[in-house]
Short mmCIF file of all heavy atoms in Angstrom, two decimals:
data_model
loop_
_atom_site.label_atom_id
_atom_site.label_comp_id
_atom_site.label_asym_id
_atom_site.label_seq_id
_atom_site.Cartn_x
_atom_site.Cartn_y
_atom_site.Cartn_z
N LEU H 1 -23.91 3.53 35.34
CA LEU H 1 -24.86 2.94 36.28
C LEU H 1 -26.28 2.91 35.73
O LEU H 1 -26.99 1.92 35.91
CB LEU H 1 -24.83 3.72 37.60
CG LEU H 1 -23.46 3.82 38.31
CD1 LEU H 1 -23.60 4.55 39.63
CD2 LEU H 1 -22.84 2.45 38.51
N PHE H 2 -26.72 3.99 35.10
CA PHE H 2 -28.08 4.08 34.55
C PHE H 2 -28.01 4.64 33.14
O PHE H 2 -27.14 5.47 32.83
CB PHE H 2 -28.97 4.99 35.40
CG PHE H 2 -29.27 4.46 36.77
CD1 PHE H 2 -28.41 4.71 37.82
CD2 PHE H 2 -30.42 3.71 37.02
CE1 PHE H 2 -28.68 4.24 39.09
CE2 PHE H 2 -30.70 3.23 38.28
CZ PHE H 2 -29.82 3.49 39.32
N THR H 3 -28.94 4.21 32.29
CA THR H 3 -29.08 4.77 30.94
C THR H 3 -30.51 5.24 30.77
O THR H 3 -31.47 4.47 30.96
CB THR H 3 -28.75 3.73 29.86
OG1 THR H 3 -27.42 3.24 30.06
CG2 THR H 3 -28.88 4.33 28.48
N ILE H 4 -30.66 6.53 30.43
CA ILE H 4 -31.97 7.11 30.14
C ILE H 4 -32.19 7.05 28.63
O ILE H 4 -31.23 7.16 27.85
CB ILE H 4 -32.03 8.55 30.68
CG1 ILE H 4 -31.91 8.51 32.21
CG2 ILE H 4 -33.31 9.27 30.25
CD1 ILE H 4 -31.81 9.87 32.86
N ASP H 5 -33.43 6.89 28.20
CA ASP H 5 -33.77 6.78 26.78
C ASP H 5 -33.10 7.90 25.99
O ASP H 5 -33.34 9.08 26.21
CB ASP H 5 -35.28 6.84 26.63
CG ASP H 5 -35.72 6.54 25.20
OD1 ASP H 5 -34.87 6.18 24.36
OD2 ASP H 5 -36.93 6.68 24.92
N GLN H 6 -32.24 7.52 25.06
CA GLN H 6 -31.41 8.49 24.34
C GLN H 6 -32.04 9.00 23.05
O GLN H 6 -31.53 9.97 22.47
CB GLN H 6 -30.05 7.86 24.02
CG GLN H 6 -29.23 7.50 25.25
CD GLN H 6 -27.89 6.89 24.89
OE1 GLN H 6 -27.73 6.32 23.81
NE2 GLN H 6 -26.92 7.01 25.79
N ARG H 7 -33.08 8.39 22.56
CA ARG H 7 -33.61 8.73 21.24
C ARG H 7 -34.02 10.20 21.11
O ARG H 7 -33.66 10.86 20.12
CB ARG H 7 -34.77 7.81 20.89
CG ARG H 7 -34.34 6.36 20.65
CD ARG H 7 -35.52 5.43 20.50
NE ARG H 7 -36.31 5.38 21.73
CZ ARG H 7 -37.44 4.67 21.86
NH1 ARG H 7 -37.91 3.96 20.82
NH2 ARG H 7 -38.10 4.65 23.00
N PRO H 8 -34.76 10.78 22.07
CA PRO H 8 -35.10 12.20 21.92
C PRO H 8 -33.86 13.10 21.88
O PRO H 8 -33.84 14.11 21.16
CB PRO H 8 -35.97 12.49 23.15
CG PRO H 8 -36.47 11.15 23.60
CD PRO H 8 -35.38 10.19 23.27
N TYR H 9 -32.84 12.75 22.61
CA TYR H 9 -31.65 13.59 22.68
C TYR H 9 -30.75 13.41 21.46
O TYR H 9 -30.06 14.35 21.06
CB TYR H 9 -30.90 13.29 23.98
CG TYR H 9 -31.73 13.63 25.20
CD1 TYR H 9 -32.46 12.65 25.87
CD2 TYR H 9 -31.81 14.94 25.65
CE1 TYR H 9 -33.24 12.97 26.96
CE2 TYR H 9 -32.59 15.28 26.75
CZ TYR H 9 -33.31 14.29 27.40
OH TYR H 9 -34.09 14.61 28.49
N ARG H 10 -30.78 12.22 20.88
CA ARG H 10 -30.07 12.05 19.60
C ARG H 10 -30.72 12.89 18.51
O ARG H 10 -30.04 13.51 17.68
CB ARG H 10 -30.05 10.58 19.20
CG ARG H 10 -29.19 9.71 20.10
CD ARG H 10 -29.07 8.29 19.53
NE ARG H 10 -28.33 7.43 20.43
CZ ARG H 10 -27.00 7.37 20.49
NH1 ARG H 10 -26.28 8.14 19.69
NH2 ARG H 10 -26.40 6.55 21.34
N ALA H 11 -32.05 12.92 18.51
CA ALA H 11 -32.77 13.74 17.52
C ALA H 11 -32.49 15.22 17.74
O ALA H 11 -32.27 15.98 16.77
CB ALA H 11 -34.26 13.46 17.61
N ALA H 12 -32.46 15.64 19.00
CA ALA H 12 -32.16 17.05 19.28
C ALA H 12 -30.75 17.40 18.85
O ALA H 12 -30.51 18.51 18.32
CB ALA H 12 -32.35 17.32 20.77
N LEU H 13 -29.80 16.49 19.03
CA LEU H 13 -28.44 16.75 18.58
C LEU H 13 -28.37 16.85 17.06
O LEU H 13 -27.69 17.74 16.51
CB LEU H 13 -27.51 15.64 19.08
CG LEU H 13 -26.06 15.72 18.63
CD1 LEU H 13 -25.42 17.03 19.07
CD2 LEU H 13 -25.27 14.52 19.14
N ALA H 14 -29.09 15.97 16.37
CA ALA H 14 -29.09 16.03 14.90
C ALA H 14 -29.69 17.34 14.41
O ALA H 14 -29.19 17.95 13.45
CB ALA H 14 -29.86 14.84 14.34
N ARG H 15 -30.74 17.80 15.04
CA ARG H 15 -31.35 19.07 14.65
C ARG H 15 -30.40 20.23 14.91
O ARG H 15 -30.28 21.14 14.07
CB ARG H 15 -32.65 19.26 15.43
CG ARG H 15 -33.41 20.53 15.06
CD ARG H 15 -34.82 20.55 15.65
NE ARG H 15 -34.80 20.41 17.10
CZ ARG H 15 -35.21 19.31 17.73
NH1 ARG H 15 -35.63 18.25 17.05
NH2 ARG H 15 -35.18 19.27 19.05
N ALA H 16 -29.72 20.21 16.02
CA ALA H 16 -28.77 21.28 16.32
C ALA H 16 -27.61 21.27 15.33
O ALA H 16 -27.13 22.34 14.91
CB ALA H 16 -28.24 21.12 17.74
N GLU H 17 -27.14 20.11 14.93
CA GLU H 17 -26.06 20.04 13.95
C GLU H 17 -26.51 20.55 12.59
O GLU H 17 -25.74 21.20 11.87
CB GLU H 17 -25.56 18.60 13.85
CG GLU H 17 -24.81 18.13 15.09
CD GLU H 17 -24.42 16.66 15.04
OE1 GLU H 17 -25.03 15.91 14.23
OE2 GLU H 17 -23.52 16.25 15.78
N ALA H 18 -27.77 20.27 12.24
CA ALA H 18 -28.30 20.79 10.97
C ALA H 18 -28.39 22.33 11.01
O ALA H 18 -28.05 23.01 10.03
CB ALA H 18 -29.66 20.18 10.68
N ASP H 19 -28.86 22.83 12.15
CA ASP H 19 -28.91 24.29 12.28
C ASP H 19 -27.52 24.92 12.18
O ASP H 19 -27.35 26.01 11.62
CB ASP H 19 -29.55 24.67 13.61
CG ASP H 19 -31.04 24.33 13.66
OD1 ASP H 19 -31.63 24.15 12.57
OD2 ASP H 19 -31.59 24.22 14.78
N LEU H 20 -26.53 24.22 12.70
CA LEU H 20 -25.18 24.73 12.61
C LEU H 20 -24.69 24.76 11.17
O LEU H 20 -24.05 25.74 10.73
CB LEU H 20 -24.24 23.86 13.46
CG LEU H 20 -22.75 24.19 13.41
CD1 LEU H 20 -22.51 25.64 13.85
CD2 LEU H 20 -21.94 23.22 14.25
N GLU H 21 -25.00 23.74 10.39
CA GLU H 21 -24.60 23.72 8.98
C GLU H 21 -25.26 24.86 8.22
O GLU H 21 -24.63 25.52 7.38
CB GLU H 21 -24.94 22.37 8.37
CG GLU H 21 -24.10 21.21 8.87
CD GLU H 21 -22.63 21.39 8.53
OE1 GLU H 21 -22.32 21.96 7.46
OE2 GLU H 21 -21.79 21.01 9.37
N ARG H 22 -26.54 25.10 8.48
CA ARG H 22 -27.23 26.19 7.79
C ARG H 22 -26.63 27.54 8.17
O ARG H 22 -26.43 28.41 7.31
CB ARG H 22 -28.73 26.16 8.14
CG ARG H 22 -29.53 27.24 7.41
CD ARG H 22 -31.03 27.13 7.64
NE ARG H 22 -31.36 27.28 9.05
CZ ARG H 22 -31.81 26.29 9.82
NH1 ARG H 22 -31.93 25.07 9.30
NH2 ARG H 22 -32.11 26.50 11.07
N ALA H 23 -26.32 27.70 9.45
CA ALA H 23 -25.73 28.97 9.90
C ALA H 23 -24.37 29.18 9.26
O ALA H 23 -24.02 30.31 8.87
CB ALA H 23 -25.62 28.98 11.41
N ARG H 24 -23.59 28.14 9.14
CA ARG H 24 -22.28 28.28 8.51
C ARG H 24 -22.41 28.61 7.02
O ARG H 24 -21.63 29.42 6.48
CB ARG H 24 -21.49 26.99 8.69
CG ARG H 24 -20.96 26.80 10.11
CD ARG H 24 -20.30 25.44 10.29
NE ARG H 24 -19.70 25.31 11.62
CZ ARG H 24 -19.20 24.17 12.10
NH1 ARG H 24 -19.24 23.07 11.33
NH2 ARG H 24 -18.67 24.14 13.31
N SER H 25 -23.38 28.01 6.37
CA SER H 25 -23.59 28.31 4.95
C SER H 25 -24.00 29.77 4.76
O SER H 25 -23.49 30.46 3.86
CB SER H 25 -24.65 27.37 4.38
OG SER H 25 -24.92 27.67 3.03
N GLU H 26 -24.91 30.23 5.60
CA GLU H 26 -25.34 31.62 5.50
C GLU H 26 -24.18 32.57 5.83
O GLU H 26 -24.04 33.64 5.22
CB GLU H 26 -26.51 31.87 6.45
CG GLU H 26 -27.79 31.15 6.04
CD GLU H 26 -28.91 31.35 7.05
OE1 GLU H 26 -28.60 31.95 8.13
OE2 GLU H 26 -30.04 30.92 6.79
N ALA H 27 -23.37 32.16 6.79
CA ALA H 27 -22.22 33.01 7.14
C ALA H 27 -21.24 33.09 5.99
O ALA H 27 -20.64 34.15 5.73
CB ALA H 27 -21.55 32.45 8.39
N LEU H 28 -21.06 31.99 5.29
CA LEU H 28 -20.15 32.00 4.14
C LEU H 28 -20.66 32.94 3.05
O LEU H 28 -19.88 33.70 2.44
CB LEU H 28 -20.00 30.58 3.60
CG LEU H 28 -19.00 30.39 2.48
CD1 LEU H 28 -17.59 30.77 2.93
CD2 LEU H 28 -19.02 28.95 1.97
N LEU H 29 -21.98 32.91 2.80
CA LEU H 29 -22.56 33.78 1.79
C LEU H 29 -22.43 35.26 2.18
O LEU H 29 -22.01 36.09 1.37
CB LEU H 29 -24.03 33.43 1.58
CG LEU H 29 -24.82 34.32 0.60
CD1 LEU H 29 -24.19 34.28 -0.79
CD2 LEU H 29 -26.28 33.90 0.55
N THR H 30 -22.79 35.59 3.38
CA THR H 30 -22.72 37.00 3.80
C THR H 30 -21.28 37.51 3.85
O THR H 30 -21.02 38.69 3.60
CB THR H 30 -23.37 37.16 5.18
OG1 THR H 30 -22.74 36.28 6.10
CG2 THR H 30 -24.85 36.85 5.13
N LYS H 31 -20.35 36.60 4.17
CA LYS H 31 -18.94 37.02 4.17
C LYS H 31 -18.48 37.36 2.76
O LYS H 31 -17.77 38.35 2.53
CB LYS H 31 -18.08 35.89 4.75
CG LYS H 31 -16.61 36.26 4.84
CD LYS H 31 -15.80 35.12 5.45
CE LYS H 31 -14.33 35.48 5.53
NZ LYS H 31 -13.52 34.37 6.11
N SER H 32 -18.91 36.54 1.78
CA SER H 32 -18.55 36.81 0.38
C SER H 32 -19.17 38.13 -0.09
O SER H 32 -18.52 38.93 -0.77
CB SER H 32 -19.01 35.66 -0.50
OG SER H 32 -18.77 35.93 -1.85
N GLN H 33 -20.43 38.35 0.27
CA GLN H 33 -21.10 39.60 -0.12
C GLN H 33 -20.42 40.80 0.52
O GLN H 33 -20.29 41.86 -0.11
CB GLN H 33 -22.57 39.54 0.29
CG GLN H 33 -23.39 38.54 -0.52
CD GLN H 33 -24.82 38.44 -0.02
OE1 GLN H 33 -25.13 38.90 1.08
NE2 GLN H 33 -25.70 37.86 -0.84
N ASN H 34 -19.98 40.64 1.75
CA ASN H 34 -19.31 41.75 2.42
C ASN H 34 -17.97 42.06 1.77
O ASN H 34 -17.57 43.23 1.64
CB ASN H 34 -19.11 41.41 3.90
CG ASN H 34 -18.52 42.56 4.68
OD1 ASN H 34 -18.96 43.70 4.56
ND2 ASN H 34 -17.49 42.26 5.47
N THR H 35 -17.28 41.01 1.29
CA THR H 35 -16.00 41.23 0.61
C THR H 35 -16.21 42.01 -0.69
O THR H 35 -15.45 42.94 -1.02
CB THR H 35 -15.31 39.90 0.33
OG1 THR H 35 -15.12 39.21 1.59
CG2 THR H 35 -13.97 40.10 -0.33
N ARG H 36 -17.22 41.62 -1.47
CA ARG H 36 -17.50 42.35 -2.71
C ARG H 36 -17.93 43.79 -2.43
O ARG H 36 -17.59 44.70 -3.17
CB ARG H 36 -18.58 41.63 -3.51
CG ARG H 36 -18.09 40.31 -4.13
CD ARG H 36 -19.04 39.85 -5.22
NE ARG H 36 -20.38 39.60 -4.70
CZ ARG H 36 -20.79 38.43 -4.24
NH1 ARG H 36 -19.93 37.40 -4.21
NH2 ARG H 36 -22.01 38.29 -3.80
N ALA H 37 -18.71 43.95 -1.37
CA ALA H 37 -19.16 45.31 -1.05
C ALA H 37 -17.99 46.21 -0.70
O ALA H 37 -17.99 47.41 -1.01
CB ALA H 37 -20.14 45.25 0.11
N GLN H 38 -16.95 45.65 -0.12
CA GLN H 38 -15.76 46.43 0.21
C GLN H 38 -15.10 46.97 -1.07
O GLN H 38 -14.65 48.12 -1.13
CB GLN H 38 -14.77 45.55 0.99
CG GLN H 38 -13.55 46.30 1.53
CD GLN H 38 -13.90 47.26 2.65
OE1 GLN H 38 -14.80 47.00 3.44
NE2 GLN H 38 -13.20 48.41 2.68
N THR H 39 -15.06 46.10 -2.09
CA THR H 39 -14.47 46.53 -3.36
C THR H 39 -15.35 47.58 -4.05
O THR H 39 -14.85 48.57 -4.61
CB THR H 39 -14.29 45.32 -4.28
OG1 THR H 39 -13.49 44.33 -3.58
CG2 THR H 39 -13.59 45.71 -5.57
N LEU H 40 -16.66 47.36 -4.00
CA LEU H 40 -17.58 48.28 -4.67
C LEU H 40 -17.64 49.65 -4.00
O LEU H 40 -17.79 50.67 -4.69
CB LEU H 40 -18.99 47.66 -4.71
CG LEU H 40 -19.12 46.41 -5.59
CD1 LEU H 40 -20.52 45.81 -5.44
CD2 LEU H 40 -18.85 46.75 -7.05
N ILE H 41 -17.52 49.65 -2.68
CA ILE H 41 -17.59 50.95 -2.01
C ILE H 41 -16.38 51.79 -2.33
O ILE H 41 -16.44 53.03 -2.40
CB ILE H 41 -17.75 50.75 -0.49
CG1 ILE H 41 -18.13 52.09 0.18
CG2 ILE H 41 -16.47 50.21 0.15
CD1 ILE H 41 -19.44 52.63 -0.25
N GLU H 42 -15.24 51.10 -2.57
CA GLU H 42 -14.04 51.85 -2.94
C GLU H 42 -14.17 52.45 -4.35
O GLU H 42 -13.61 53.50 -4.64
CB GLU H 42 -12.82 50.94 -2.86
CG GLU H 42 -12.47 50.49 -1.44
CD GLU H 42 -11.33 49.51 -1.42
OE1 GLU H 42 -10.85 49.15 -2.52
OE2 GLU H 42 -10.91 49.09 -0.31
N ALA H 43 -14.92 51.70 -5.20
CA ALA H 43 -15.14 52.22 -6.57
C ALA H 43 -16.37 53.13 -6.65
O ALA H 43 -16.74 53.59 -7.73
CB ALA H 43 -15.30 51.05 -7.54
N LYS H 44 -17.00 53.33 -5.49
CA LYS H 44 -18.21 54.15 -5.40
C LYS H 44 -19.32 53.63 -6.31
O LYS H 44 -20.09 54.37 -6.90
CB LYS H 44 -17.90 55.61 -5.75
CG LYS H 44 -16.91 56.24 -4.77
CD LYS H 44 -16.67 57.69 -5.10
CE LYS H 44 -15.69 58.32 -4.13
NZ LYS H 44 -15.44 59.74 -4.43
N ALA H 45 -19.38 52.22 -6.36
CA ALA H 45 -20.41 51.60 -7.19
C ALA H 45 -21.67 51.31 -6.39
O ALA H 45 -22.73 51.02 -6.97
CB ALA H 45 -19.87 50.30 -7.79
N ILE H 46 -21.57 51.30 -5.04
CA ILE H 46 -22.76 51.10 -4.20
C ILE H 46 -22.80 52.21 -3.18
O ILE H 46 -21.80 52.89 -2.90
CB ILE H 46 -22.75 49.73 -3.50
CG1 ILE H 46 -21.49 49.60 -2.60
CG2 ILE H 46 -22.81 48.59 -4.50
CD1 ILE H 46 -21.49 48.33 -1.76
N SER H 47 -23.97 52.33 -2.60
CA SER H 47 -24.14 53.39 -1.61
C SER H 47 -23.53 52.95 -0.26
O SER H 47 -23.29 51.76 -0.02
CB SER H 47 -25.62 53.70 -1.41
OG SER H 47 -26.28 52.57 -0.88
N ARG H 48 -23.29 53.94 0.52
CA ARG H 48 -22.75 53.65 1.85
C ARG H 48 -23.74 52.84 2.69
O ARG H 48 -23.36 51.98 3.47
CB ARG H 48 -22.42 54.97 2.56
CG ARG H 48 -21.61 54.80 3.82
CD ARG H 48 -20.20 54.39 3.47
NE ARG H 48 -19.43 54.12 4.69
CZ ARG H 48 -18.17 53.74 4.67
NH1 ARG H 48 -17.55 53.59 3.49
NH2 ARG H 48 -17.52 53.52 5.79
#
């Protein structure tokens, strides 16, 4: 029935999607670091 100007909301959606990609990338990095830390702690190569 009605259409409200969508441009500001399309931009907000694009920004939120970009933030999601960055968060996923950071999560992937920290997950990899946590996996290595698990191996190192067993070898007593890093501190608790």
Side-chain angles (χ1 to χ4, degrees):
L1 303 183
F2 293 87
T3 302
I4 296 174
D5 188 5
Q6 297 180 335
R7 291 172 297 178
Y9 297 97
R10 292 187 184 277
L13 176 59
R15 183 169 56 251
E17 290 175 340
D19 291 341
L20 176 58
E21 290 297 326
R22 183 174 60 250
R24 286 174 175 171
S25 177
E26 292 176 353
L28 185 61
L29 176 60
T30 55
K31 182 179 179 181
S32 176
Q33 291 176 345
N34 184 47
T35 302
R36 289 196 299 270
Q38 187 70 34
T39 305
L40 293 174
I41 192 63
E42 293 175 358
K44 297 182 180 180
I46 59 174
S47 64
R48 191 71 184 180

